[in-house]
Amino acid sequence: MPTLTLYGAPGSGAVAVEAALTLIGQPYSLIDAVTWDEDDRTSGDRVLAANPLRQVPALVLPTGEALTESAAILIWLAEQYPDARLAPAPGDPRRGQFLRWMSFVSAAIYSLYWVKDDPTRLAPDPAAGPVLVARTDDRIAECWRMMGEQITPGAWLMGEALSVLDLYVAVVSRFRPRRQRFYAAAPNMADIIRRVDVHPQLQTLWAERYPFEPGWDAV
Ligand SMILES: N[C@@H](CCC(=O)N[C@@H](CS)C(=O)NCC(=O)O)C(=O)O
């Protein structure tokens, strides 16, 4: 099958897409576009070929069609490669909750980083930045708390099989305010997500694309 091309960056949400592709066993070409590097705008500009919003991840299909939005890409991959069993299939009783939490991580949590990473985008006075960041961190922790209270996990977040939701939460919960806050907010998800960290098939990927450096889990 012709190659998929992923625009990504180390330590970004695109690493969840790389994790899904790794578990699927689907080779892909990777183009790094570090969209938040103000010292190297040319790096981030690479993704403009696939996403006018200048955000990663973006996945370009063999047809040339571009998919953006991490949740959509992850759900699409699970559908395209059903043998990998990375999502409850349409018709499965867990499908509704799966779609709910995939959308929730994207809409309620991940989208906040557009402001949090550069508060001057909405509050031009630099003095407003620290308060905005602190309150956004509180909101993110509150969202994890609500998700933890509402979800009923099994061995994995969606029951007895690992899904792209586990991969998605494992990556997004590593963004600031990082894992210690996540563990405290959603203790019933903590051990599950730690098991994603130690998944044998993902060790090389984590080491290369999102290493567990000292202090990686604290703010
Ligand atoms: N809604 C997008 C958000 C993607 C996103 O925020 N990506 C970050 C990297 S983790 C980015 O490229 N940020 C640069 C920017 O927003 O300007 C998705 O779910 O894929």
Side-chain angles (χ1 to χ4, degrees):
M1 184 178 169
T3 316
L4 298 169
T5 300
L6 177 66
Y7 288 85
S12 76
V15 179
V17 176
E18 290 192 68
L21 287 163
T22 301
L23 293 183
I24 290 165
Q26 174 63 40
Y28 56 98
S29 302
L30 181 66
I31 299 176
D32 269 340
V34 183
T35 47
W36 58 89
D37 187 350
E38 286 304 318
D39 296 331
D40 182 9
R41 294 282 301 178
T42 55
S43 173
D45 284 350
R46 287 188 199 119
V47 76
L48 289 171
N51 186 359
L53 270 192
R54 203 176 177 278
Q55 290 183 327
V56 292
L59 186 69
V60 180
L61 311 188
T63 57
E65 177 187 352
L67 288 184
T68 66
E69 300 306 315
S70 49
I73 294 169
L74 289 166
I75 294 167
W76 183 86
L77 284 172
E79 283 176 6
Q80 288 294 304
Y81 300 95
D83 290 351
R85 299 181 167 275
L86 285 177
D92 186 300
R94 294 161 301 174
R95 182 73 176 179
Q97 292 301 308
F98 169 72
L99 293 174
R100 175 190 181 191
W101 296 121
M102 289 298 293
S103 300
F104 180 82
V105 173
S106 173
I109 298 174
Y110 197 177
S111 66
L112 294 176
Y113 288 86
W114 183 77
V115 181
K116 201 166 106 65
D117 287 350
D118 180 2
T120 63
R121 282 170 162 164
L122 290 187
D125 180 357
V131 174
L132 204 151
V133 168
R135 290 189 178 187
T136 309
D137 282 348
D138 290 347
R139 170 67 178 172
I140 290 166
E142 171 60 14
C143 287
W144 289 131
R145 187 197 62 75
M146 188 284 266
M147 181 175 175
E149 277 186 10
Q150 293 271 305
I151 201 168
T152 311
W156 303 97
L157 292 178
M158 277 293 102
E160 298 317 308
L162 179 147
S163 74
V164 290
L165 179 64
D166 298 285
L167 306 176
Y168 200 23
V169 173
V171 170
V172 175
S173 63
R174 292 191 62 176
F175 302 162
R176 288 193 174 81
R178 300 205 194 276
R179 281 286 185 80
Q180 292 302 334
R181 191 102 189 250
F182 168 81
Y183 297 146
N188 61 329
M189 297 202 284
D191 283 349
I192 294 169
I193 295 310
R194 284 192 191 100
R195 288 188 22 240
V196 181
D197 295 343
V198 298
H199 192 294
Q201 284 175 262
L202 297 175
Q203 293 314 291
T204 304
L205 176 76
W206 297 142
E208 289 178 1
R209 303 295 289 166
Y210 213 155
F212 299 108
E213 288 160 348
W216 68 273
D217 56 353
V219 176

